[in-house]
Amino acid sequence: MADKPKHGLARGLTNYGDADFSLYLRRSFAKSMGYSDEILNRPVIGIAQSASGYNNCHRHFPELIEATKRGVLAAGGLPIDFPTISLGETFLNPTSMMYRNLMSMDVEEMVSAQPMDAVVLLGGCDKTLPAQLMGSASADIPAIHVVAGPMMTSLYKGERLGACTDCRRFWARYRAGEVSGTEISEVEGSLATTAGTCAVMGTASTMACIAETLGMILPGTASIPAVHADRLRAAEASGARAVELAQEKLTPSQIITEKSVENALRVLLAIGGSTNAIIHLTAVAGRRGIDISLDRLNAISDETPVLVDLKPTGPYYMEDLFAAGGLGPVLHELKPLLHLDCITVAGETLGERLATPPGYVDHDVVHHFDDPVYPQGGLVALFGSLAPDGAILKRSAAEESLFENEGRAVVFSSLADLADRIDDPDLDVTPDDFLVLQNAGPKSQSGMPEAGYLPIPGKLAKQGVKDMVRLSDARMSGTAFGTIILHIAPEAATGGPLSRVRNGDRIRLSVEDRRLDLLVDDAELAKRKATADLADPKRGYKRLYADHVLQAPEGCDFDFLKQDAE
Ligand code: FES
């Protein structure tokens, strides 16, 4: 019988009551796949991959897996790929967010239960990378992530289009009667035309930049387009690096630290990143016992300008960020504010990485620190009587003239109510009103969908109204633009103040003071019955979700998955 190595296939033996028998049986079954002794004695590098026919963003994963395997083999490891759940953003009901924690559990458990000395995780579409980061942080074996990379843009009648800011822009124009049915069908075929994740600074791109800043993907790889040959080279290099990580025993707990999380938070603000990313980063950090407070977010936001001019904040796409130099130049601009002693999966510190000048940078896309796109961070947290535990506004993608404002509430009690009435010609609404959506938070029937981008009521859209103050406990796609307040906590479904707002109430927003207040006195509020609408599924994962999901300021993770639950 072969020697018993302390690594590789000998890790985590199946329990038959006889360890030698277990290894003998495992090797025997592995040999049925044609492996030789030489290769079975190598370090095993798992490749957690999330290809799926339901995930267009990952359609190039077969060749990405091949490239990763090539890197592992060349470096002396044995690559073994395995599937996990995949979450194709637009294919899941009621929302992919509900399944992020399920995927994180799948990743954690399969990485922990199967024998591997290190793991490469291939993901990218909105919830997949957060789920994988959460899973690898909890499993805490040597891990390196590879992101899908962004889609390329395409041209429609001479106009550059990329998912998904342009998806929403055209849909709004269609609703306003400016775009015909024929044209919207043509646009449908031109928005997402290659493999890869959404082409703008949406959630997937934001999370890729966060993963690079945290140090969980190789430096310089966040923005490489999905279809670019460099993407394959990044996968190959990541596979090779995983073999070294297995020997160095460098684990996520050494990489995801309070300091690297703060760096990631700062980069999130400097890239004008997605509102969803604050939830995901909070969840990832929570897996290592690190808390992110919204007060700290505000403090960092005040001293961190937006430097990257991508949609939905500006005119450019992710492929432009890649051509402009990638995330590296952003990190160089922020260098005085970053913790430079953070170690990365490359085995170097952030400071060592940034010791080399960035080379060519297109400063139309990545601005200098003293010539920012926006003087402060992209996101800001609001607090007040309507959001005691906080709410989020992406101020860099909002209409500044609406920031200091008081308005009359026009309330929708659920997504179904919104769908029923938003285009009713008799809806009592003016452009100065605040649209309020209730019961769209994590514990609601709808499971916190990206429905916070409430459409402009049909009759106002036709008058040319482009933006209004809109607020809810829902999320919003990172690709959307508007004065939209999200993640209100506690959510309406749990009886939070949002559930007691009624038509005609006055609400005051002050971005300067970080306030969101319901101007109704306590005696009147006490008389009102909450319109709470808690989800109450009877069985399965949805029951688990309903019982254990936390609020947005805690990352919407499950209470028992946070590290301090151990
Ligand atoms: Fe996959 Fe946008 S749909 S990243």
Side-chain angles (χ1 to χ4, degrees), residues 193-458:
T193 54
T194 76
T197 50
C198 286
V200 300
M201 191 53 83
T203 305
S205 302
T206 305
M207 288 307 300
C209 293
I210 281 179
E212 183 170 330
T213 309
L214 279 174
M216 291 301 295
I217 64 174
L218 285 180
T221 63
S223 63
I224 304 169
V227 296
H228 198 293
D230 280 355
R231 175 57 57 205
L232 296 172
R233 282 186 276 275
E236 183 184 305
S238 301
R241 179 65 191 141
V243 179
E244 295 172 351
L245 286 174
Q247 279 144 16
E248 295 166 13
K249 306 210 180 330
L250 182 60
T251 59
S253 57
Q254 298 165 67
I255 296 170
I256 302 171
T257 63
E258 211 154 312
K259 287 181 178 177
S260 69
V261 167
E262 185 160 304
N263 286 344
L265 194 55
R266 198 174 288 284
V267 164
L268 161 63
L269 296 163
I271 60 178
S274 158
T275 47
N276 285 317
I278 184 67
I279 294 180
H280 298 320
L281 182 58
T282 301
V284 173
R287 293 298 182 96
R288 297 300 339 148
I290 301 161
D291 287 330
I292 295 180
S293 92
L294 292 180
D295 286 324
R296 185 71 188 128
L297 169 81
N298 279 344
I300 295 175
S301 192
D302 285 346
E303 57 185 33
T304 309
V306 176
L307 301 176
V308 178
D309 209 9
L310 262 57
K311 287 176 184 265
T313 306
Y316 295 108
Y317 296 87
M318 278 300 279
E319 68 196 63
D320 302 320
L321 177 61
F322 175 63
L327 184 68
V330 182
L331 298 172
H332 273 278
E333 292 293 330
L334 294 173
K335 189 174 170 183
L337 297 175
L338 296 174
H339 301 288
L340 299 176
D341 55 344
C342 297
I343 190 82
T344 75
V345 278
E348 62 181 3
T349 64
L350 184 60
E352 286 165 344
R353 172 185 177 184
L354 298 181
T356 311
Y360 169 78
V361 180
D362 180 347
H363 285 292
D364 281 343
V365 180
V366 179
H367 286 221
H368 285 298
F369 191 88
D370 51 10
D371 175 32
V373 177
Y374 190 85
Q376 295 167 312
L379 306 184
V380 67
L382 307 171
F383 298 92
S385 60
L386 193 46
D389 294 342
I392 293 287
L393 169 71
K394 186 171 181 176
R395 59 180 163 182
S396 62
E399 179 51 56
E400 212 166 330
S401 62
L402 298 175
F403 283 6
E404 307 304 317
N405 198 358
E406 189 182 308
R408 183 184 68 138
V410 175
V411 182
F412 301 92
S413 62
S414 67
L415 282 167
D417 184 33
L418 176 73
D420 279 353
R421 295 194 296 120
I422 191 72
D423 289 336
D424 184 342
D426 295 328
L427 182 68
D428 179 14
V429 64
T430 74
D432 298 328
D433 291 336
F434 286 16
L435 302 182
V436 178
L437 172 64
Q438 300 168 321
N439 293 307
K443 283 185 178 286
S444 72
Q445 306 276 356
S446 55
M448 206 180 189
E450 288 187 341
Y453 181 75
L454 274 64
I456 301 294

Side-chain angles (χ1 to χ4, degrees), residues 57 89 125-126 197-198 204:
C57 299
E89 184 59 24
C125 189
D126 274 25
T197 50
C198 286

Side-chain angles (χ1 to χ4, degrees), residues 485-566:
I485 298 156
L486 304 156
H487 311 175
I488 289 177
E491 64 174 298
T494 60
L498 182 62
S499 68
R500 291 186 158 77
V501 184
R502 298 291 182 266
N503 280 325
D505 285 351
R506 305 294 295 177
I507 296 173
R508 185 183 299 135
L509 165 67
S510 172
V511 176
E512 191 179 340
D513 295 339
R514 315 281 187 263
R515 296 288 305 182
L516 182 66
D517 288 297
L518 179 60
L519 307 180
V520 175
D521 61 49
D522 290 347
E524 167 61 22
L525 280 182
K527 280 189 242 159
R528 292 182 184 175
K529 196 170 167 323
T531 58
D533 191 18
L534 269 180
D536 186 24
K538 295 291 170 259
R539 59 179 296 280
Y541 173 74
K542 289 195 173 81
R543 184 70 252 167
L544 188 74
Y545 184 92
D547 288 342
H548 294 284
V549 71
L550 297 167
Q551 295 289 285
E554 295 176 277
C556 297
D557 202 358
F558 290 159
D559 49 11
F560 60 86
L561 291 175
K562 291 185 72 173
Q563 195 198 37
D564 51 18
E566 287 171 4

